[in-house]
Amino acid sequence: MSRVIPTINTHRLTLRAMRPEDFDRYAEIWRTPDVIRFISAEPWTRDTAWGAFLRNAGHWHMTGFGQWAVEEHATKRMIGQTGFFYGARGYGEDFDSWPEAGWVLAPEAHGQRYASEATRAAHDWFDRVVTGPLVCQIMSENEASMRLARQLGYLPLRKREDVDLMIRKGPP
């Protein structure tokens, strides 16, 4: 499997490798209450963001897939991330055995269908290059992400507290 992080262009976005100069923006996104309200109890500290930022970079090297920075063509600004990772969350073999999909966009990118555009491009790449089942976890009240997951072909696997665990066995 290739360890080169591909660049994917869509009509309005570029999915690309995260760069060292992206870190300040990455940390800014992850400390925004509107971003983390469905993900984390607290906004991330710079230290927590730095660990996740490095984990994203290393994931590509270790597995051949990972998270891309999502850059808006019009502004050349990083507006979020999308991609895949092994979460090793201890949720059980039916979930932890598969790569997990995730997506996060800054609030100013919400409501413009950027999440759909970016995640579809990422999933198309996965289906061509890696293949196989994917999982995701979404807080039950996150209606936008639940809708997007269903559009991408995810089906309910089971609930874990206030989180829906979902699986996608292949392209819809």
Side-chain angles (χ1 to χ4, degrees):
M1 180 172 299
S2 172
R3 299 297 191 237
V4 174
I5 302 172
T7 298
I8 301 171
N9 288 299
T10 69
H11 180 68
R12 302 177 298 162
L13 306 170
T14 296
L15 279 59
R16 60 164 176 77
M18 291 188 195
R19 305 173 188 141
E21 60 268 23
D22 290 327
F23 177 67
D24 286 338
R25 176 67 171 146
Y26 181 90
E28 175 188 349
I29 290 170
W30 279 99
R31 75 172 169 262
T32 306
D34 280 348
V35 169
I36 59 92
R37 69 185 168 126
F38 293 122
I39 301 169
S40 173
E42 297 290 327
W44 287 9
T45 64
R46 280 184 71 80
D47 182 55
T48 299
W50 181 244
F53 189 75
L54 293 177
R55 208 169 28 258
N56 285 336
H59 207 284
W60 280 100
H61 178 71
M62 299 303 289
T63 66
F65 58 84
Q67 295 266 306
W68 286 272
V70 178
E71 181 180 280
E72 184 182 40
H73 288 177
T75 63
K76 300 294 184 204
R77 185 169 183 180
M78 180 180 164
I79 59 168
Q81 68 190 77
T82 191
F84 314 98
F85 55 94
Y86 280 110
R89 298 180 185 277
Y91 288 174
E93 198 170 307
D94 62 340
F95 189 87
D96 290 339
S97 298
W98 309 113
E100 185 174 341
W103 49 89
V104 170
L105 291 180
E108 68 270 16
H110 293 178
Q112 299 181 53
R113 301 195 44 83
Y114 283 158
S116 177
E117 189 172 329
T119 57
R120 284 183 194 282
H123 280 72
D124 288 348
W125 175 87
F126 185 93
D127 292 336
R128 285 190 324 273
V129 177
V130 182
T131 71
L134 288 164
V135 294
C136 69
Q137 65 167 348
I138 302 171
M139 287 189 72
S140 302
E141 67 228 30
N142 187 344
E143 294 174 16
S145 280
M146 291 295 285
R147 188 171 40 255
L148 178 55
R150 286 190 298 272
Q151 290 169 2
L152 293 166
Y154 288 88
L155 300 170
L157 181 61
R158 61 187 158 84
K159 282 187 101 51
R160 181 177 165 81
E161 298 168 9
D162 59 349
V163 173
D164 286 87
L165 302 181
M166 303 178 83
I167 190 162
R168 177 183 184 263
K169 296 185 178 178

